Amino acid sequence: MSNQKKRNFQIEAFKHRVVVDPKYADKTWKVLEHAIREIYNHNASGLSFEELYRNAYNMVLHKYGEKLYSGLVKTMTCHLKEISKCIEAAQGGMFLEEMNKLWTDHNKALQMIRDILMYMDRTYIPSTQKTPVHELGLNLWRDNIIHSSKIQTRLLNTLLELVLRERTGDVINRGLMRNIIKMLMDLGPSVYQEDFENPFLEVSAEFYKGESQKFIECCDCGDYLKKAERRLNEELDRVTHYLDARSEVKITNVVEKEMIANHMLRLVHMENSGLVNMLLDDKYEDLGRMYNLFRRVANGLSTIREVMTSHIRETGKQLVTDPERLKDPVEFVQRLLDEKDKYDSIIKLSFNNDKTFQNGLNSSFEYFINLNTRSPEFISLFVDDKLRKGLKGVSEEDVEVILDKVMMLFRYLQEKDVFEKYYKQHLAKRLLSGKTVSDDAERSLIVKLKTECGYQFTSKLEGMFTDMKTSQDTMQGFYASHPELGDGPTLTVQVLTTGSWPTQPSVTCNLPAEMSALCEKFRSYYLGTHTGRRLSWQTNMGTADIKATFGKGQKHELNVSTYQMCVLMLFNNADRLNYKEIEQATEIPALDLKRCLQSMACVKGKNVLRKEPMSKDICEDDTFLVNEKFTSKLYKVKIGTVVAQKESEPEKQETRQRVEEDRKPQIEAAIVRIMKSRRTLDHNNVISEVTKQLQSRFLANPTEIKKRIESLIEREFLERDGTDRKLYRYLA
């Protein structure tokens, strides 16, 4: 191995100088400048883009980027000033054509120039924070063309004039408009907004302000809305074809403000054609148009809703307080249903099933239905009419529709317990007389009521159906144990459980001897098979079939009430009887007896008796005899009892009194439940919570709640606080 000393060499720094021809930059730029001019003059086919790119690359590499960039700005500016003169010289419709053509050329040239100067774009421009080539070209076009003193105003006026011409019915070159607007958008949002959009919106506002004023003076509401809708659609179409998509909200806001918002109240209240007239005339299309236009502006829908609900409340109030309409309960309820159907259709077809409108409709109906204290009774009478005869031949689906409509009205009632009272009475009469059209329909309605109000509401109603079924079984057992009764009069007894059925005064009358004996046999049988029960005969609720023979041997089977049977049977032993004699023999209550005689002597086609003297009313000195001339095409003749469809005033008072009595324990139970839970509560909160708990059945009267509180204090369920008399405590 050699002992020569090892040496290490390390380069610390190195300076390299390249000598460049001082005229290199000028020569190279001249080549590039010539190329840029040739590109603008459409003579680029003879250029070598690879060579041009290398020249630009070398200039940047040799630190001549500034010379290259400033030369580019100067050359493009010079060219654009020439272009500006060409555009300024263009006359009439050629103005936009020339601008569009030269803009297209400028963009193509700019693309080529950017490709040649790509290296400068990537290195020199970012390091010096100068504007990139393409953006520079756009800025120079903006400054030298768009913002030219002789072009800027002319361009704006030309564009606005074309829009105006299109609004007044002329056809314009939308393609050209689209290109010019696109040019402004490409030059930057501020250029589009300041040089077109803002003035466009101002001019549009003036245009629609004037047009709306003209239309509002000469058009009815429906025609005005059509014109407003058409204008709105035109502006949307304009945006689609040649405006910036972001202008849509702005221009539609202008149309909405000038044509809708500024005239909203005048439109809805317009005489002979406003919202109320549209509602009255079922103008679904116009209503739908109003809804769709008004929903676009602040408070638009609330304005329609308020006018609609106000109108419904007013017409509903007239309906439920009109004495003429109250004469026929069935027609009264049918009108309510027709009104509800009408507005349901309007909301569905015109108001897009808007829940706020549906809520307004519901609150309006609830308001005016409860203005009439007889609404619960009338709704029950409507149900009674339908379930007696009105649903004959109606399909099961249609029956459900009718029952659902009834339930809808039922929900509006504040006094649902009053409806329950009447419904129970009417159901009882239907079941006992066998007049119900369909047991399925009856049960369906009870299920709906049960779903709505709970088991307690319908438990007694369901008990009535149970009694009817049990009675059938009882009668089969009765006749099985008395086979000897097969040849005589037939007795059918319905045994009703006290509490499930409406309370009836126990009225007795003197039955014919043969019937009285038969009833006694049934009593013995029933009490013999059931212990601890008591029977009381409800003769006022019974019916009978009687075979009758008249003057010329004409025979009929008469279907009559028990009272009518008792009266007719008297004439087997007498030719003439006066009122007093009939009353004494039958012991039928005076009011019932008069109705009974009136139905048999004063109703044409049913007059099996004759009255002397003849008149419509029954008097105590009247005399009655069999009408030997009675004829009927039918063998079976039903003799109905003349009875008022609605309750008389005394009957109404009695029902109301029963309702009030039934409410007392319910109010007390609610108070106890609340106090048991809260232990201590002030008076106002007790009133509020009791009202809330009971509102599904009735609207509790604060005065009655206070009386029930006093009663509970007396019975030591509650006590007053020693220092605050309005504070109650629950006593366990």
Side-chain angles (χ1 to χ4, degrees):
M1 242 182 121
S2 174
N3 294 324
Q4 190 176 357
K5 191 175 180 181
K6 188 175 182 182
R7 300 183 184 275
N8 291 322
F9 297 96
Q10 186 172 357
I11 299 172
E12 289 289 331
F14 174 72
K15 290 183 179 179
H16 173 68
R17 287 182 173 81
V18 177
V19 179
V20 180
D21 183 355
K23 296 182 179 180
Y24 165 77
D26 292 336
K27 290 178 182 178
T28 307
W29 166 241
K30 287 290 183 184
V31 173
L32 290 170
E33 182 185 23
H34 173 73
I36 291 170
R37 291 186 183 279
E38 289 298 293
I39 289 170
Y40 272 123
N41 293 327
H42 310 293
N43 294 325
S45 57
L47 300 174
S48 169
F49 281 86
E50 184 180 349
E51 184 181 338
L52 292 170
Y53 176 84
R54 193 180 303 116
N55 286 334
Y57 173 86
N58 286 330
M59 280 192 75
V60 174
L61 189 67
H62 295 141
K63 308 299 181 183
Y64 291 109
E66 176 59 33
K67 184 177 182 65
L68 179 60
Y69 189 84
S70 59
L72 174 66
V73 172
K74 183 178 178 182
T75 303
M76 290 177 72
T77 302
C78 182
H79 175 73
L80 290 174
K81 286 187 181 298
E82 293 299 318
I83 287 178
S84 175
K85 292 176 184 176
C86 294
I87 295 173
E88 290 168 14
Q91 298 298 314
M94 293 306 297
F95 173 69
L96 292 185
E97 294 278 4
E98 186 69 13
M99 179 178 285
N100 182 47
K101 173 181 171 297
L102 292 172
W103 165 250
T104 304
D105 292 345
H106 178 66
N107 271 309
K108 288 178 181 176
L110 199 56
Q111 182 64 45
M112 294 181 192
I113 294 167
R114 184 172 64 174
D115 289 345
I116 292 169
L117 304 178
M118 188 182 298
Y119 185 71
M120 182 180 75
D121 241 0
R122 288 179 177 175
T123 58
Y124 173 74
I125 286 175
S127 66
T128 57
Q129 297 183 339
K130 292 186 180 295
T131 306
V133 173
H134 185 265
E135 188 180 340
L136 173 67
L138 297 181
N139 291 347
L140 291 173
W141 178 274
R142 175 194 66 200
D143 297 338
N144 292 281
I145 307 295
I146 302 304
H147 287 168
S148 164
S149 59
K150 295 182 180 179
I151 292 177
Q152 188 172 18
T153 304
R154 184 180 175 188
L155 174 61
L156 175 61
N157 291 340
T158 302
L159 292 174
L160 294 179
E161 183 186 353
L162 286 171
V163 172
L164 178 61
R165 282 175 51 194
E166 189 175 48
R167 283 175 177 159
T168 53
D170 287 355
V171 176
I172 66 169
N173 186 341
R174 283 186 160 187
L176 179 59
M177 280 288 285
R178 180 170 58 250
N179 291 341
I180 298 298
I181 296 295
K182 176 74 163 51
M183 173 190 73
L184 296 177
M185 291 160 56
D186 289 344
L187 295 176
S190 62
V191 178
Y192 173 76
Q193 290 170 9
E194 293 168 14
D195 287 87
F196 174 73
E197 187 183 54
N198 293 342
F200 165 71
L201 294 174
E202 290 174 14
V203 169
S204 298
E206 283 300 314
F207 175 81
Y208 286 118
K209 182 178 181 181
E211 184 171 80
S212 66
Q213 198 59 48
K214 183 177 72 175
F215 287 163
I216 203 80
E217 297 298 337
C218 67
C219 299
D220 65 20
C221 183
D223 287 340
Y224 182 94
L225 293 174
K226 286 177 185 175
K227 293 179 185 297
E229 182 183 54
R230 188 177 71 246
R231 284 304 194 189
L232 194 58
N233 289 334
E234 286 174 3
E235 294 302 333
L236 293 170
D237 187 55
R238 195 164 287 120
V239 171
T240 303
H241 280 89
Y242 57 80
L243 298 183
D244 184 358
R246 287 167 291 190
S247 296
E248 179 178 321
V249 173
K250 300 174 186 177
I251 186 60
T252 53
N253 283 345
V254 168
V255 181
E256 290 158 6
K257 177 176 181 291
E258 299 299 338
M259 297 204 77
I260 302 167
N262 290 349
H263 303 287
M264 198 157 54
L265 292 177
R266 185 168 177 184
L267 285 168
V268 295
H269 295 296
M270 191 172 280
E271 190 175 357
N272 299 325
S273 67
L275 177 59
V276 170
N277 290 86
M278 291 180 183
L279 294 171
L280 291 172
D281 298 336
D282 295 333
K283 292 191 173 181
Y284 296 115
E285 188 177 337
D286 287 344
L287 288 166
R289 187 173 291 112
M290 177 179 280
Y291 176 86
N292 289 324
L293 290 174
F294 277 46
R295 75 190 299 183
R296 305 179 73 97
V297 300
N299 301 320
L301 292 185
S302 62
T303 300
I304 298 176
R305 192 165 56 248
E306 285 165 13
V307 174
M308 183 192 82
T309 54
S310 176
H311 168 68
I312 295 172
R313 286 182 178 225
E314 187 57 37
T315 54
K317 183 178 179 180
Q318 292 173 7
L319 173 63
V320 301
T321 56
D322 183 354
E324 286 300 313
R325 298 197 185 281
L326 300 183
K327 291 179 179 178
D328 185 347
V330 176
E331 178 62 25
F332 171 86
V333 175
Q334 189 59 56
R335 280 297 302 273
L336 292 178
L337 293 176
D338 291 344
E339 284 293 297
K340 185 64 168 54
D341 285 346
K342 172 190 174 78
Y343 288 103
D344 278 341
S345 295
I346 288 173
I347 290 172
K348 179 182 178 182
L349 299 174
S350 302
F351 296 160
N352 197 33
N353 261 336
D354 193 313
K355 294 298 180 188
T356 62
F357 280 76
Q358 193 65 55
N359 293 339
L361 175 63
N362 291 337
S363 67
S364 299
F365 265 74
E366 183 175 347
Y367 161 75
F368 68 73
I369 280 181
N370 289 292
L371 291 177
N372 185 348
T373 57
R374 306 200 72 175
S375 290
E377 177 191 356
F378 286 4
I379 294 173
S380 180
L381 284 167
F382 178 83
V383 173
D384 187 57
D385 178 77
K386 293 300 178 186
L387 293 178
R388 277 179 181 272
K389 56 190 177 185
L391 298 179
K392 281 183 180 176
V394 178
S395 70
E396 194 172 319
E397 293 79 7
D398 291 339
V399 169
E400 285 298 309
V401 169
I402 293 171
L403 296 182
D404 284 337
K405 288 181 178 181
V406 169
M407 287 305 301
M408 172 264 300
L409 291 183
F410 170 77
R411 290 185 193 103
Y412 296 140
L413 294 176
Q414 291 174 347
E415 297 188 312
K416 294 180 174 64
D417 58 337
V418 178
F419 171 85
E420 181 190 9
K421 268 279 186 280
Y422 286 110
Y423 180 73
K424 189 189 285 188
Q425 291 175 12
H426 297 144
L427 173 62
K429 290 178 182 177
R430 289 196 299 278
L431 292 178
L432 295 176
S433 62
K435 296 300 180 184
T436 185
V437 167
S438 163
D439 279 351
D440 289 340
E442 295 280 8
R443 292 184 182 277
S444 175
L445 184 56
I446 289 175
V447 169
K448 293 178 190 296
L449 289 168
K450 186 176 184 178
T451 303
E452 192 71 27
C453 300
Y455 171 75
Q456 186 182 1
F457 193 90
T458 59
S459 59
K460 292 180 180 179
L461 304 178
E462 292 170 333
M464 293 161 72
F465 281 93
T466 302
D467 283 350
M468 296 301 291
K469 178 66 175 68
T470 305
S471 295
Q472 292 177 2
D473 298 338
T474 300
M475 291 314 299
Q476 289 176 0
F478 171 66
Y479 278 106
S481 63
H482 291 83
E484 75 281 1
L485 298 177
D487 298 331
T490 304
L491 176 69
T492 303
V493 179
Q494 289 150 334
V495 183
L496 316 180
T497 304
T498 304
S500 293
W501 296 74
T503 53
Q504 295 282 346
S506 184
V507 180
T508 58
C509 72
N510 296 329
L511 295 172
E514 54 267 56
M515 291 309 302
S516 182
L518 201 53
C519 289
E520 195 53 44
K521 284 187 178 181
F522 178 81
R523 179 194 294 274
S524 300
Y525 165 77
Y526 187 83
L527 296 179
T529 54
H530 297 84
T531 57
R533 297 192 183 183
R534 184 168 60 88
L535 290 180
S536 58
W537 295 99
Q538 300 285 327
T539 50
N540 56 320
M541 298 169 70
T543 61
D545 291 327
I546 299 176
K547 290 184 178 178
T549 305
F550 293 93
K552 296 181 180 179
Q554 192 169 1
K555 296 183 177 181
H556 290 282
E557 186 176 300
L558 307 178
N559 178 255
V560 295
S561 69
T562 302
Y563 287 160
Q564 290 169 335
M565 173 194 72
C566 295
V567 171
L568 289 175
M569 294 297 282
L570 296 177
F571 287 94
N572 281 338
N573 302 315
D575 294 329
R576 301 169 68 91
L577 291 167
N578 62 37
Y579 177 86
K580 287 291 185 184
E581 290 171 334
I582 295 173
E583 184 179 39
Q584 186 176 359
T586 60
E587 295 186 359
I588 297 172
L591 183 61
D592 292 324
L593 180 58
K594 286 182 178 179
R595 285 178 178 173
C596 165
L597 290 168
Q598 191 177 18
S599 62
M600 292 192 292
C602 303
V603 179
K604 189 176 181 181
K606 312 287 185 179
N607 51 336
V608 292
L609 296 181
R610 239 172 3 100
K611 184 173 85 74
E612 294 178 355
M614 190 58 203
S615 64
K616 289 184 179 180
D617 297 319
I618 304 297
C619 301
E620 294 190 358
D621 55 357
D622 287 344
T623 302
F624 299 87
L625 58 158
V626 175
N627 180 13
E628 299 292 351
K629 295 180 180 179
F630 174 79
T631 58
S632 176
K633 294 178 181 178
L634 302 173
Y635 173 70
K636 292 185 176 181
V637 180
K638 175 175 172 53
I639 312 293
T641 302
V642 175
V643 57
Q645 190 179 24
K646 297 181 291 182
E647 283 189 317
S648 63
E649 198 58 37
E651 289 172 330
K652 189 169 75 171
Q653 292 297 333
E654 186 183 343
T655 301
R656 171 58 65 176
Q657 195 172 358
R658 288 204 304 270
V659 168
E660 295 296 340
E661 285 300 317
D662 288 348
R663 285 180 179 179
K664 289 178 182 179
Q666 294 180 63
I667 294 173
E668 289 183 352
I671 295 169
V672 170
R673 279 196 303 271
I674 292 163
M675 293 304 299
K676 192 173 184 180
S677 168
R678 304 288 289 274
R679 311 304 292 183
T680 304
L681 201 61
D682 66 274
H683 179 78
N684 288 340
N685 275 317
V686 172
I687 298 290
S688 173
E689 293 203 25
V690 169
T691 303
K692 187 177 179 181
Q693 271 201 18
L694 296 175
Q695 67 183 5
S696 64
R697 286 186 59 78
F698 59 89
L699 196 62
N701 187 330
T703 305
E704 188 57 40
I705 298 174
K706 187 177 179 182
K707 289 180 181 178
R708 293 304 96 213
I709 291 172
E710 295 294 341
S711 175
L712 289 169
I713 290 173
E714 288 175 11
R715 287 178 282 158
E716 298 183 351
F717 284 91
L718 308 176
E719 68 174 1
R720 280 194 173 87
D721 184 73
T723 55
D724 185 356
R725 287 184 58 78
K726 290 190 174 181
L727 193 65
Y728 305 117
R729 298 183 188 281
Y730 178 71
L731 299 175

